[in-house]
C-alpha cells in the first residue's frame, strides 16, 4: 500500500497535451490498496488554471468544465489539518520561497507519511531536502 | 440434488465486487471467477468472490481515465502542434497568486 500526495500539475498534465507516459502510467497503476491525498488548495488551483486557459482561448469553456467535473470524481482525500499552514510557512522560509503554496503539498506529504507526486523540480528539491519521498514524473 | 452451499447469486457477487451483473457473468464465462451453472443461472463460489473482492483493483475507474483521454484529445485537436507546459502553468499561477 502506498500513500501519495498529488501536485496540481500532475492532474493538469493528465488532461492537456502532450501525452506524458509517466503520468498516464501512474494513474493506471494505482490500486485500491493505495491512497491519494492533496491539500485543500488542489481544487481551487486546478479550477483556476483551467479558467485561465479558457480566458487565453487555449481551451473551450465546455471542455474545461468537463475536466473540472471529472476531477471531482477522483478518489482524492483533501486534507484540511490546520497544522499544514504553519508548517508550509516554515518550509517556505527554509527554502527561501516567496510564496508558501508549494510547501502546503510538502507539509501534507510529511504529515501523512506520503510520497509527493509532481513534475515540478523545485517541489522535488524541497521535499527531498526534508526527507519526504518523491515520485518525479518527467 | 445440487449442493449450493457456499454459493451466492450473481446479483450478490456483483454487489460485493462493486461490478455490474454482466461483468460478473463475463468473469464466470471467462473462468476468472469460480462458479457453477445450473440451468441458465450462474451461482458464484463465495470464497472465490471474497478473494477477488480483497484483490487490489485499479483505484481510478477506467471510464474516468477514458474521459480524461477524450478531453486531452479534444484540446490537442483544437490546438494542433501546441504542447501545454502544465508545470509552468501551475508554477506561474502560484507565483502570481
Amino acid at each position: 500500500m502506498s500513500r501519495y500526495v498529488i501536485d496540481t500539475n500532475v492532474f493538469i498534465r493528465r488532461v492537456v497535451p502532450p501525452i506524458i507516459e509517466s503520468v498516464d502510467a501512474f494513474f493506471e497503476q494505482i490500486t485500491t490498496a493505495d491512497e491519494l491525498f492533496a491539500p485543500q488548495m488542489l481544487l481551487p488551483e486546478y479550477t483556476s488554471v483551467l479558467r485561465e486557459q479558457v480566458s487565453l482561448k487555449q481551451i473551450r469553456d465546455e471542455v474545461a468544465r468537463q475536466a473540472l467535473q471529472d476531477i471531482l470524481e477522483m478518489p482524492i482525500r483533501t486534507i484540511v489539518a490546520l497544522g499544514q499552514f504553519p508548517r508550509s510557512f516554515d518550509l517556505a522560509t527554509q527554502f527561501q520561497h516567496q510564496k508558501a503554496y508549494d510547501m502546503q503539498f510538502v507539509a501534507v506529504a510529511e504529515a501523512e507519511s506520503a510520497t509527493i507526486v509532481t513534475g515540478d523540480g523545485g517541489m522535488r528539491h524541497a521535499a527531498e531536502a526534508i526527507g519526504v519521498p518523491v515520485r518525479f514524473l518527467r | 440434488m445440487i449442493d449450493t452451499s457456499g454459493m451466492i447469486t450473481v446479483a450478490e457477487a456483483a454487489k460485493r465486487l462493486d461490478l455490474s451483473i454482466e461483468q460478473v457473468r463475463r468473469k464466470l464465462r471467462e473462468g476468472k471467477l469460480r462458479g457453477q451453472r445450473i440451468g441458465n443461472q450462474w451461482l458464484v463460489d463465495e470464497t472465490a468472490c471474497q478473494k477477488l473482492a480483497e484483490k487490489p483493483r485499479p483505484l481510478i475507474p477506467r471510464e474516468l481515465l477514458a474521459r480524461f483521454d477524450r478531453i486531452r484529445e479534444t484540446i490537442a485537436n483544437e490546438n494542433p502542434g501546441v504542447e501545454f507546459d502544465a508545470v509552468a502553468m501551475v508554477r506561474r499561477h502560484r507565483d502570481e497568486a
Side-chain angles (χ1 to χ4, degrees):
Chain A
M1 176 185 150
S2 299
R3 297 158 68 84
Y4 298 105
V5 168
I6 318 285
D7 193 359
T8 311
N9 61 55
V10 176
F11 289 108
I12 297 283
R13 285 167 119 194
R14 188 61 186 79
V15 294
V16 298
I19 294 171
I20 297 171
E21 300 288 350
S22 59
V23 172
D24 285 13
F26 171 74
F27 283 115
E28 278 161 27
Q29 284 163 10
I30 47 179
T31 72
T32 47
D34 303 318
E35 286 182 274
L36 305 184
F37 303 93
Q40 217 175 7
M41 67 177 276
L42 167 72
L43 293 175
E45 192 169 61
Y46 179 88
T47 305
S48 204
V49 168
L50 285 175
R51 173 65 201 128
E52 184 179 46
Q53 292 304 302
V54 172
S55 74
L56 294 171
K57 302 196 186 309
Q58 298 280 353
I59 300 178
R60 271 188 298 118
D61 184 278
E62 67 180 79
V63 176
R65 285 177 191 273
Q66 186 61 55
L68 180 55
Q69 195 57 46
D70 288 345
I71 199 179
L72 298 177
E73 292 181 32
M74 290 286 259
I76 313 159
R77 190 140 67 88
T78 51
I79 303 295
V80 290
L82 298 179
Q84 74 186 256
F85 301 107
R87 182 59 178 146
S88 65
F89 191 98
D90 289 344
L91 290 169
T93 304
Q94 181 179 340
F95 295 104
Q96 299 179 317
H97 288 195
Q98 200 174 9
K99 309 282 174 72
Y101 295 111
D102 282 17
M103 295 303 113
Q104 284 191 35
F105 288 84
V106 178
V108 167
E110 184 182 50
E112 296 294 331
S113 302
T115 296
I116 282 195
V117 183
T118 185
D120 186 309
M123 185 181 288
R124 175 195 193 176
H125 168 74
E128 285 177 344
I130 62 159
V132 169
V134 179
R135 184 144 168 194
F136 187 65
L137 303 180
R138 290 181 189 283
Chain B
M1 184 165 159
I2 298 164
D3 180 11
T4 58
S5 59
M7 307 296 271
I8 56 175
T9 63
V10 169
E12 178 60 26
K15 194 171 150 190
R16 293 189 193 181
L17 295 169
D18 195 22
L19 295 172
S20 68
I21 286 175
E22 188 43 47
Q23 284 171 317
V24 173
R25 285 195 186 121
R26 194 177 314 131
K27 282 186 185 298
L28 288 162
R29 284 197 300 271
E30 292 172 354
K32 292 178 180 169
L33 180 60
R34 200 167 54 236
Q36 194 178 346
R37 189 165 185 149
I38 300 166
N40 335 332
Q41 201 181 348
W42 278 100
L43 288 175
V44 179
D45 182 294
E46 188 170 16
T47 307
C49 180
Q50 181 65 28
K51 278 187 184 163
L52 190 61
E54 287 166 1
K55 195 175 161 189
R57 284 170 284 138
L59 181 64
I60 302 173
R62 293 289 175 246
E63 311 84 75
L64 182 56
L65 292 177
R67 293 214 302 267
F68 283 130
D69 288 341
R70 284 197 292 277
I71 290 169
R72 183 167 58 194
E73 201 178 326
T74 301
I75 297 170
N77 289 339
E78 293 176 354
N79 297 273
V82 175
E83 294 202 343
F84 289 74
D85 184 345
V87 173
M89 281 154 60
V90 173
R91 164 78 30 226
R92 189 174 59 245
H93 216 77
R94 287 176 187 166
D95 290 345
E96 290 171 0

